[in-house]
Amino acid sequence: MTPTLEETMSRNIVFVGIGGLVGCIARYLIVTLAANYFTTGVPLGTLLVNILGCFLIGAGVGLAEHYEWMRGEGRILLLAGFCGGFTTYSAFALENFQFLIEKNFWMFGAYSLLTFALCLAAVAIGFYVTAGR
């Protein structure tokens, strides 16, 4: 018997949750350890997490091209779960990479600039609204 959409979604949510939990913990540990061991003006932990997350999401998509185990639950666990909990920058980078593969350079540039500008503005607005400045 084929599982219903609700059963499939519920199962996928469990995989996303498990992967996300592990990804969040890994991000916290890496950022905290980097801050304790490398005292520079650059947030090296966040930079490292973003680079590792981008590598992992690229590797996961590449593995899914060749291996059955990276389709379905394996992909959901690693890409949506772990990478999503570890860093959402990896999803942003993957989307931009797909624009480049498709040679959609206009969308690549527009999406990159729009995301950077709007996210920076959102951080500033959130800060100033809550900080009372």
Side-chain angles (χ1 to χ4, degrees), residues 23 30 49 66 76 79-80 125 132:
I30 289 171
V49 162
H66 302 287
I76 290 167
L79 302 186
I125 291 167

Side-chain angles (χ1 to χ4, degrees), residues 8-62:
T8 302
M9 290 293 290
S10 295
R11 188 173 163 157
N12 289 348
I13 287 169
V14 170
F15 283 107
V16 169
I18 292 168
L21 172 69
V22 174
C24 288
I25 292 169
R27 179 184 65 226
Y28 172 78
L29 291 173
I30 289 171
V31 169
T32 302
L33 289 171
N36 286 329
Y37 289 105
F38 303 103
T39 55
T40 66
V42 177
L44 291 177
T46 301
L47 179 62
L48 181 60
V49 162
N50 286 336
I51 293 167
L52 285 172
C54 289
F55 172 79
L56 289 173
I57 204 166
V61 171

Side-chain angles (χ1 to χ4, degrees), residues 4 12 21 28-29 43 55 66-67 70 77 81 89 91 96 113 126:
T4 66
N12 289 348
L21 172 69
Y28 172 78
L29 291 173
F55 172 79
H66 302 287
Y67 300 103
M70 260 310 291
L77 178 76
Y89 189 82
N96 274 304
L113 290 173

